[in-house]
Amino acid sequence: MVLTTQSFEEQLTEKLRSLRGTGVEEASEKDMYYAVASIVQEQLSASWQDTRKHYDKREERQMYYISMEFLIGRLMENNLQNCGLLDTCTTTLKKLGFEPELVYGQEHDAGLGNGGLGRLAACFLDSVASLRYAGHGSGIRYRYGLFEQRIIHGNQVELPDYWLKEEYPWETRRADESLTIHFGGQVIPHKRSDGSLEFSYYDTDEVQAVPYDVPVAGYQNDVVNTLRLWSAELAPENTDILADAEGKYYHHLDHMHSVEQISGFLYPDDSSYEGKELRLKQQYFLVSATIQNIIRDHKTRCTKSLKNMHEKTVIQINDTHPSLAVPELMRLLMDEEGFSWDDAWNITTKTIAYTNHTTLSEALEKWPVSMMENLLPRIFMIINEINERFCLGIYYDKPAFRDLIPRVAVIADDQVHMARLAIVGSFSINGVAKLHTEILKRSEMNDFYRIFPEKFNNKTNGITHRRWLLQVNPGLSSLITDAIGRGWVEQPSKLSTLVRYSNDSPFLDKIADVKKENKKALADLIRKRTGITVNENSIFDVQIKRLHEYKRQLMNIFHVIYLYNELKDNPMMDMTPRTFIFAAKAAPGYYMAKEIIKLIHHVASIVNNDAAVGDRLKVIFLENYNVSLAEKIIPAAELSEQISTASKEASGTGNMKMMMNGALTIGTMDGANIEINDFVGRDNIFIFGLSSEQVHDYYANGGYNAKDMYHADDRIRRILDQLYGGEFGSQEIEFKDIFYNIMYNNDPYFVLKDFDSYIDAHELAESRYRNHRQWQQMSTINIAHSGKFSSDRTIHEYASEIWRLSPVPKA
Ligand SMILES: *Cc1c(COP(=O)(O)O)cnc(C)c1O
């Protein structure tokens, strides 16, 4: 149903009256936000029901994407765009005297993820629906999302993110579809009449998993899939117990509190692992609810029998966090549905596929056997059996691999190795960029690759161009459409026709104008948030991502110090002005990351207030990095800093977002940077630093000495000395731990080793920037090749090579 501007306005007036008890004149932006959201939700809900009925009728094969994180950000503009109402709504709001951006900005970001992994899950859902695939997300409805970051005197302070304080208009509670999850208790085996074993559970703690559904609308195609977020509640029968005995009431409240904790908050650690019991509870809660739900769905959509489950269902697990899907599906098939081990194993290993996201050793999930056994006794029994059968299978059937057994066993050193469980229990294991998959095959998972070569494959990550170009950069989007037509919106690979415009002066002028406008808007935001006025003609040099030593924000700020030193030594130096923009959250317990945030602020306070520097150099740190902030920074970015130590960044997706918005990458040969380089060519990217092979070689054989770098390079020595005792230290702040980590831990991320080539790459970038025409050409070539990094490409690959799904024809 298409709404005209007039009927949209009428509906808006009506919604304001009925929902908010107000008229247009007195309405606040919040009133307006809820009124618009209600119209959009109504538009979506008809298609939502139709989509579900259509899938049921066709007994459609379904994909379920299980993820502990969905970093969705705001949905208003996304949903308006996807139902074709964005222009109508924006026009109407303006006409009624409202600033659309302020109205849409009323929505609190759904920050149910840490960073790249969670944002990938959100981009994937958008592409799945837009490409007409029958696929859904399953996650946790954390009451507190990723913490809100404030900076106080240069230090990060974390505040709880209570994003549900005001009603979330996109969710629908479906209490009637709640499921029960069991923890702890005893498992008792009984013999069935045929001699096989049956298991019953006693004294378990029961938790209700209550689903909240969020619609996932495809782009103007009437498909609406579902993101189902589970909330942990006390089972209703347990809440009725009346407190007759003294103390019982308080005990009851305590118990309720501990149950609700399961969906209480998102763990704020990105790419690192902590063996917290509550986290294991969260994982099992999500997995058990999802798999029970899938089985129930199968029975209503297809047949009562689950024999053909693997033909009707495929489950993708996002990293190892949902690996318990393997034993949970086994448990339900055997204990509830009466399958034999072999039949259950056959179904399970044809249903589950696993995506690996990292090779960092600190991120490898390993749960203590004792914790698993206490919390999930039946699941632990099954994992044990999986392990024994797997190890025995190798021993007898693949004797050539016998010596690998200690290194591939699912249970070893009193720990359950989640990645090994995921690999053994799934039919597909994919890495997220070419280099990452090669590293998995060649080294990190080489033992498993030798045993199961056919399971391994690559799916290079992507981002949804509908959000990260069409929605966030309307100026650039209409410029592209004017040049090559609208086809790129449906088929982002068509962006490549833009290459033809890389010598077209009028087009390049317009590219420059759009960037200028976007930079102006970001400069306004910076002024509003920090009070600092930046030079709008400076190079906007951007590094926005989680703070991690391997991502090397430290090298970036060292480079800023280097430039500052150059300017101080040589005040008349001819330098293109630069604005360095940072945004990053550090995990609350990550000391070194917090020190680096403090250093960035300290350098900023000196550089930004030095009259001799003026507006030639500015350092900006925008606090509370999240999806909405990314959406404001990325359209204005000119240089995209993707400078991880080679081999450490599995893919990166920030690199793709900025490329798509015309920024040029300064980066190492790491993650998807390598594929960006392949597409745009060496002349259109600034590559520097050690290769992953060189990094690997240094780790394996030594031969790198950070102290030698310190003594050999005056620029480096000066910076390090300034940190510790020099002008970037002071009575109160000294960055001695950063200094020590480099000097005495031998610079584990090769900041000093790559520094010289990093400076060279920056100098090359600056010289290219001085030739405006050449920069705009390079920028255009980057945009032209960015279509390959649309998550539509990624999802087509998953669908055809892993999920075996085809687009669902229209009803
Ligand atoms: C895209 C995105 C990320 C991932 O950025 P990388 O540079 O790939 O690490 C993290 N957080 C947010 C909010 C994002 O939008």
Side-chain angles (χ1 to χ4, degrees):
M1 185 177 43
V2 185
L3 285 176
T4 62
T5 313
Q6 195 195 333
S7 68
F8 191 84
E9 188 179 330
E10 284 164 15
Q11 281 207 34
L12 212 47
T13 317
E14 171 53 24
K15 288 288 182 195
L16 281 173
R17 192 192 59 73
S18 61
L19 291 177
R20 311 290 295 180
T22 182
V24 173
E25 308 287 297
E26 316 85 64
S28 65
E29 276 132 5
K30 183 126 292 153
D31 293 326
M32 213 36 132
Y33 165 74
Y34 280 106
V36 174
S38 172
I39 296 174
V40 176
Q41 183 77 358
E42 267 171 27
Q43 291 277 308
L44 292 177
S45 59
S47 311
W48 204 0
Q49 276 184 325
D50 291 347
T51 301
R52 192 185 173 124
K53 276 191 211 147
H54 189 51
Y55 292 166
D56 284 352
K57 199 162 115 210
R58 292 172 47 90
E59 296 191 15
E60 200 66 48
R61 177 175 164 87
Q62 316 258 328
M63 185 281 291
Y64 296 87
Y65 197 84
I66 313 186
S67 177
M68 289 286 282
E69 304 189 13
F70 286 92
L71 189 48
I72 36 200
R74 292 182 181 136
L75 280 179
M76 179 67 100
E77 279 173 275
N78 183 241
N79 285 344
L80 279 166
Q81 189 177 69
N82 288 5
C83 17
L85 283 175
L86 185 56
D87 291 343
T88 308
C89 180
T90 301
T91 314
T92 308
L93 288 174
K94 281 187 187 151
K95 181 181 161 218
L96 299 177
F98 286 83
E99 186 76 66
E101 217 181 300
L102 294 182
V103 173
Y104 306 149
Q106 295 299 309
E107 183 164 336
H108 195 112
D109 266 47
L112 308 183
N114 272 288
L117 175 148
R119 184 53 235 175
L120 184 78
C123 283
F124 278 6
L125 293 185
D126 184 80
S127 286
V128 166
S130 295
L131 299 174
R132 314 189 58 85
Y133 291 114
H136 313 278
S138 188
I140 294 180
R141 181 180 179 268
Y142 302 107
R143 247 171 307 116
Y144 292 88
L146 183 62
F147 67 84
E148 205 176 294
Q149 178 194 54
R150 294 279 169 77
I151 304 292
I152 296 177
H153 303 309
N155 292 300
Q156 168 174 300
V157 173
E158 301 92 23
L159 301 176
D161 168 50
Y162 189 35
W163 70 293
L164 295 167
K165 188 163 59 194
E166 291 173 293
E167 185 198 329
Y168 187 57
W170 308 115
E171 68 180 7
T172 307
R173 180 181 163 96
R174 305 234 186 261
D176 54 320
E177 296 192 34
S178 297
L179 292 161
T180 305
I181 317 296
H182 299 268
F183 291 98
Q186 309 287 325
V187 182
I188 311 284
H190 312 273
K191 263 214 170 73
R192 295 195 186 104
S193 51
D194 65 355
S196 65
L197 285 180
E198 185 177 8
F199 295 87
S200 38
Y201 318 148
Y202 295 96
D203 298 331
T204 59
D205 287 326
E206 294 185 357
V207 175
Q208 288 295 111
V210 181
Y212 285 73
D213 288 351
V214 178
V216 181
Y219 181 74
Q220 299 179 7
N221 65 358
D222 295 323
V223 171
V224 180
N225 292 331
T226 302
L227 168 58
R228 178 157 270 201
L229 298 173
W230 299 93
S231 176
E233 298 181 10
L234 198 55
E237 54 270 31
N238 293 342
T239 53
D240 293 338
I241 309 166
L242 270 181
D244 36 337
E246 197 160 349
K248 204 167 165 192
Y249 179 66
Y250 291 103
H251 178 77
H252 175 77
L253 289 184
D254 273 355
H255 183 53
M256 185 162 83
H257 183 71
S258 77
V259 164
E260 288 174 352
Q261 269 303 318
I262 294 172
S263 55
F265 71 98
L266 166 76
Y267 276 94
D269 305 301
D270 185 70
S271 304
S272 78
Y273 160 76
E274 266 194 284
K276 291 272 179 7
E277 186 177 43
L278 179 57
R279 168 86 177 173
L280 182 58
K281 278 191 189 169
Q282 290 185 333
Q283 294 184 351
Y284 182 67
F285 172 78
L286 168 62
V287 156
S288 182
T290 308
I291 308 274
Q292 289 188 57
N293 186 56
I294 289 172
I295 288 176
R296 182 173 60 189
D297 263 9
H298 178 91
K299 289 178 174 173
T300 49
R301 190 175 72 259
C302 307
T303 53
K304 285 269 176 292
S305 157
L306 289 161
K307 260 190 252 160
N308 63 343
M309 176 172 172
H310 53 285
E311 285 156 22
K312 293 295 180 182
T313 305
V314 58
I315 295 170
Q316 189 72 43
I317 60 174
N318 197 20
D319 212 320
T320 57
H321 321 139
S323 296
L324 294 177
V326 174
E328 177 66 2
L329 181 51
M330 288 295 288
R331 182 185 73 82
L332 289 164
L333 290 174
M334 294 187 302
D335 296 0
E336 307 281 328
E337 307 291 336
F339 282 84
S340 69
W341 180 280
D342 289 336
D343 290 343
W345 187 245
N346 181 47
I347 293 171
T348 300
T349 52
K350 284 179 175 166
T351 301
I352 297 177
Y354 153 58
T355 302
N356 174 282
H357 280 271
T358 177
T359 55
L360 300 180
S361 56
E362 64 268 31
L364 277 186
E365 284 197 299
K366 289 173 283 202
W367 294 101
V369 158
S370 57
M371 195 189 285
M372 190 78 80
E373 208 173 2
N374 283 320
L375 190 66
L376 307 166
R378 178 64 182 137
I379 289 296
F380 180 70
M381 287 171 69
I382 294 170
I383 294 173
N384 233 333
E385 182 87 23
I386 290 172
N387 183 41
E388 278 186 13
R389 288 175 183 243
F390 171 59
C391 293
L392 283 174
I394 292 176
Y395 192 86
Y396 289 112
D397 304 339
K398 301 186 175 180
F401 296 134
R402 278 182 190 175
D403 55 324
L404 301 184
I405 291 176
R407 300 205 300 263
V408 297
V410 176
I411 300 175
D413 320 314
D414 268 327
Q415 292 180 307
V416 179
H417 292 246
M418 299 295 266
R420 301 181 192 171
L421 177 62
I423 295 170
V424 173
S426 55
F427 68 89
S428 162
I429 298 136
N430 75 281
V432 291
K434 274 185 193 157
L435 174 69
H436 172 58
T437 302
E438 281 312 307
I439 292 173
L440 288 180
K441 293 204 271 194
R442 270 204 318 264
S443 53
E444 252 11 83
M445 296 187 163
N446 180 257
D447 295 337
F448 282 106
Y449 179 58
R450 288 170 62 198
I451 301 171
F452 304 122
E454 70 290 349
K455 289 192 187 186
F456 284 77
N457 64 94
N458 176 250
K459 296 287 167 284
T460 300
N461 282 166
I463 54 164
T464 167
H465 62 288
R466 286 168 292 274
R467 180 181 288 255
W468 295 108
L469 177 52
L470 193 58
Q471 182 187 314
V472 306
N473 201 341
L476 180 56
S477 299
S478 40
L479 178 53
I480 294 170
T481 298
D482 290 347
I484 64 169
R486 249 191 99 71
W488 66 274
V489 176
E490 302 267 343
Q491 279 176 291
S493 60
K494 289 196 172 154
L495 284 171
S496 63
T497 27
L498 273 178
V499 170
R500 287 191 216 136
Y501 289 81
S502 58
N503 285 310
D504 181 310
S505 287
F507 181 84
L508 296 175
D509 287 340
K510 286 184 221 151
I511 283 272
D513 289 345
V514 167
K515 188 58 84 178
K516 204 169 178 167
E517 279 300 304
N518 292 339
K519 286 171 72 180
K520 193 172 173 319
L522 180 58
D524 290 343
L525 178 128
I526 290 171
R527 195 176 309 108
K528 237 187 280 165
R529 297 204 182 170
T530 68
I532 299 168
T533 298
V534 302
N535 180 344
E536 289 173 18
N537 294 315
S538 63
I539 307 177
F540 278 23
D541 182 316
V542 175
Q543 189 175 21
I544 50 174
K545 48 184 75 246
R546 282 299 287 259
L547 212 140
H548 237 290
E549 285 163 282
Y550 83 78
K551 292 177 184 274
R552 296 201 293 191
Q553 281 95 349
L554 185 60
M555 190 166 71
N556 187 344
I557 198 69
F558 278 8
H559 175 246
V560 174
I561 297 175
Y562 161 76
L563 289 179
Y564 178 73
N565 289 339
E566 289 287 291
L567 276 174
K568 296 298 275 187
D569 290 354
N570 195 350
M572 304 311 288
M573 190 172 82
D574 179 23
M575 185 188 111
T576 307
R578 294 242 183 169
T579 301
F580 291 91
I581 298 164
F582 292 87
K585 287 177 180 174
Y590 190 169
Y591 172 75
M592 202 50 79
K594 289 182 151 180
E595 284 293 294
I596 294 168
I597 289 181
K598 205 193 299 180
L599 176 62
I600 294 170
H601 281 89
H602 197 59
V603 172
S605 71
I606 291 170
V607 170
N608 295 347
N609 297 306
D610 190 329
V613 169
D615 67 359
R616 287 186 292 174
L617 199 54
K618 284 276 181 275
V619 181
I620 304 297
F621 188 102
L622 290 170
E623 62 186 8
N624 200 36
Y625 183 50
N626 61 12
V627 172
S628 290
L629 184 58
E631 290 172 0
K632 296 193 173 82
I633 298 172
I634 287 168
E638 295 182 296
L639 247 194
S640 160
E641 298 268 357
Q642 307 299 339
I643 58 179
S644 53
T645 310
S647 78
K648 299 283 178 187
E649 187 76 270
S651 162
T653 48
N655 47 3
M656 302 168 186
K657 296 169 196 164
M658 285 198 260
M659 171 200 196
M660 196 174 269
N661 283 273
L664 304 191
T665 302
I666 181 165
T668 47
M669 282 300 246
D670 199 17
N673 295 353
I674 293 175
E675 287 152 84
I676 294 178
N677 174 70
D678 288 345
F679 287 126
V680 302
R682 255 315 149 120
D683 293 343
N684 296 299
I685 188 168
F686 308 107
I687 295 288
F688 70 95
L690 295 174
S691 66
S692 61
E693 290 90 351
Q694 290 171 316
V695 168
H696 187 265
D697 196 57
Y698 279 126
Y699 283 135
N701 306 316
Y704 171 53
N705 190 335
K707 278 189 199 144
D708 291 347
M709 304 289 313
Y710 174 87
H711 291 297
D713 190 326
D714 296 343
R715 302 165 304 181
I716 288 176
R717 188 168 60 254
R718 182 171 176 188
I719 294 166
L720 284 168
D721 289 347
Q722 283 170 311
L723 292 188
Y724 188 18
E727 59 253 63
F728 287 99
S730 67
Q731 290 304 92
E732 308 89 68
I733 322 180
E734 267 187 333
F735 296 96
K736 61 172 185 294
D737 292 316
I738 293 177
F739 180 89
Y740 282 170
N741 195 39
I742 286 188
M743 296 293 278
Y744 302 110
N745 284 337
N746 202 31
D747 183 19
Y749 296 95
F750 301 99
V751 169
L752 304 189
K753 184 75 188 167
D754 278 349
F755 196 59
D756 179 60
S757 67
Y758 183 49
I759 291 175
D760 287 349
H762 267 296
E763 283 175 0
L764 182 62
E766 180 180 328
S767 77
R768 292 285 179 271
Y769 194 85
R770 284 166 180 247
N771 182 342
H772 293 308
R773 214 22 29 142
Q774 191 179 8
W775 187 273
Q776 292 145 13
Q777 286 176 339
M778 294 170 75
S779 175
T780 302
I781 289 168
N782 270 265
I783 299 166
H785 292 289
S786 69
K788 284 122 182 170
F789 297 101
S790 166
S791 44
D792 287 8
R793 187 265 313 147
T794 316
I795 287 302
H796 274 310
E797 291 175 6
Y798 273 91
S800 68
E801 295 162 24
I802 301 178
W803 301 336
R804 291 186 292 108
L805 288 185
S806 313
V808 180
K810 284 190 194 291

